[in-house]
């Protein structure tokens, strides 16, 4: 009952459709509201499986604020690296959220047009304002976390000639069954096809959408999910920052059946060569994609001929007239 009511009140938020974007500010509104991504994900879990998950009662925006009550993110960071930590809410959705949940703190982004500024240069401000000191401390902590993690997931992708991904359909290693189940049960956006399977019907019917600007947001290519999308030939591994590159190569050997001395690993264009170095020092961070290019054995036909000659049995004087005497 509760899950159905909440889903009916916030259908686009549940299906992740027609979401606003700070980098392409919607013209019809001058304010957008901010909630934590964790709140949205936990709420979606409850709506999908109300008998197995606990209901969400509070928005919990205090996690986005510092102890002084200031915002921990800048406008620029919310359009880039911090976008995975927040979710943007339309004003109409915010009205529904206030009725359905306990709101501890209201966070919003405002677009203002100063009198002296040109129409193409609006000013964006946040309420509450940024706490610069706590923001700097957060950045330092994030850098430490990237170098001091334990049991984090990275993705190893096998490639050929640095371009073609190997089509290996083997299941990923070290991925828990609950994560796989949740991935399968996650609602797929309407009209979106699974890339791993060819659909028989190549012309699905277009469905109506409730937001008038949904078409424009589709054309802008707004990312619908921050979850890593695995491709064929890619496997997930659990690693720690203090383990060495040699340790990672052994894991890759078991996952891809490629010997460590045949592995050429790289990340973001940088080749990883020092086996004794730790993953943290090499810049391998959680959710990183490490590319694996395996050395192929070189066929030396001259050497093969030599081996064949040695292995051939000695025929002596066979076929000559000497054997008749």
């Amino acid at each position: 009952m509760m899950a159905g009511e909440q889903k009916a009140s916030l259908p686009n938020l549940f299906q992740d459709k027609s979401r606003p974007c700070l980098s392409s500010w919607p013209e019809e509104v001058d304010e957008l509201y901010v909630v934590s991504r964790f709140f949205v994900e936990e709420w979606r879990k409850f709506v999908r499986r109300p008998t197995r998950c606990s209901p969400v009662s509070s928005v919990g925006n205090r996690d986005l604020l510092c102890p002084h009550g200031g915002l921990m993110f800048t406008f620029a960071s919310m359009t880039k690296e911090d976008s995975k930590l927040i979710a943007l809410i339309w004003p109409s959705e915010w009205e529904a959220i206030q009725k359905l949940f306990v709101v501890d703190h209201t966070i919003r982004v405002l677009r203002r047009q100063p009198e002296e500024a040109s129409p193409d240069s609006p000013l964006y401000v946040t309420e509450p304002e940024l706490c610069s000191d706590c923001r700097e401390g957060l950045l330092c902590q994030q850098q430490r976390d990237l170098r001091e993690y334990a049991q984090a997931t990275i993705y190893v992708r096998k490639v050929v000639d640095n371009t073609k991904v190997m089509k290996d359909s083997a299941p990923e290693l070290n991925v828990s069954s609950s994560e796989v189940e949740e991935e399968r049960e996650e609602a797929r956006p309407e009209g979106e096809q699974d890339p791993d399977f060819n659909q028989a019907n190549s012309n699905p019917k277009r469905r109506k959408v409730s937001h008038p600007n949904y078409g424009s947001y589709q054309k802008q290519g707004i990312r619908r999910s921050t979850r890593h999308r695995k491709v064929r030939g890619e496997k997930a591994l659990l690693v720690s920052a203090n383990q060495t590159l040699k340790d990672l190569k052994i894991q890759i050997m078991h996952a891809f059946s490629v010997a460590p001395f045949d592995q050429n690993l790289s990340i973001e264009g940088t080749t990883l060569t020092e086996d004794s170095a730790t993953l943290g020092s090499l810049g391998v961070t959680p959710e990183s994609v490490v590319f694996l290019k395996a050395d192929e054995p070189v066929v030396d036909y001259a050497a093969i001929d030599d081996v064949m000659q040695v292995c051939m049995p000695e025929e002596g004087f066979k076929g000559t007239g000497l054997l008749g005497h």
Side-chain angles (χ1 to χ4, degrees), residues 118-260:
S118 63
D120 297 333
S121 302
L123 177 65
Y124 298 99
V125 297
T126 61
E127 292 183 356
E129 296 180 351
L130 172 72
C131 181
S132 301
D133 294 338
C134 292
R135 170 66 182 175
E136 183 177 354
L138 174 64
L139 294 178
C140 294
Q141 181 62 44
Q142 289 176 342
Q143 291 299 319
R144 286 194 297 269
D145 292 343
L146 291 177
R147 299 293 183 267
E148 300 175 2
Y149 57 88
Q151 294 298 299
T153 301
I154 66 169
Y155 302 92
V156 179
R157 186 178 303 174
K158 190 175 183 181
V159 298
V160 176
D161 297 332
N162 296 324
T163 55
K164 183 179 179 182
V165 177
M166 292 291 292
K167 292 189 175 182
D168 186 352
S169 58
E172 288 76 15
L173 302 180
N174 297 323
V175 179
S176 66
S177 59
S178 61
E179 291 177 349
V180 175
E181 180 182 359
E182 180 182 336
E183 178 76 21
R184 292 176 178 175
E185 293 185 0
E186 183 176 5
R188 184 175 299 278
E190 295 181 2
E192 182 178 334
Q193 296 182 356
D194 191 330
D196 292 339
F197 298 93
N198 293 325
Q199 300 292 340
N201 182 10
S202 60
N203 296 315
K205 294 183 180 179
R206 297 181 62 184
R207 303 189 180 184
K208 296 182 179 180
V209 295
S210 58
H211 198 278
N213 293 326
Y214 177 67
S216 63
Y217 288 108
Q218 271 191 321
K219 294 179 182 179
Q220 293 168 4
I222 297 175
R223 187 177 181 182
R224 294 182 179 277
S225 174
T226 57
R227 175 174 295 178
H228 177 83
R229 299 296 181 184
K230 294 188 289 293
V231 300
R232 291 183 183 272
E234 181 177 283
K235 296 182 181 180
L237 301 177
L238 288 178
V239 299
S240 300
N242 59 357
Q243 75 179 70
T244 63
L245 180 62
K246 183 179 180 180
D247 296 331
L248 175 61
K249 287 185 175 182
I250 294 175
Q251 287 182 266
I252 294 175
M253 178 182 66
H254 293 297
F256 290 91
S257 299
V258 177

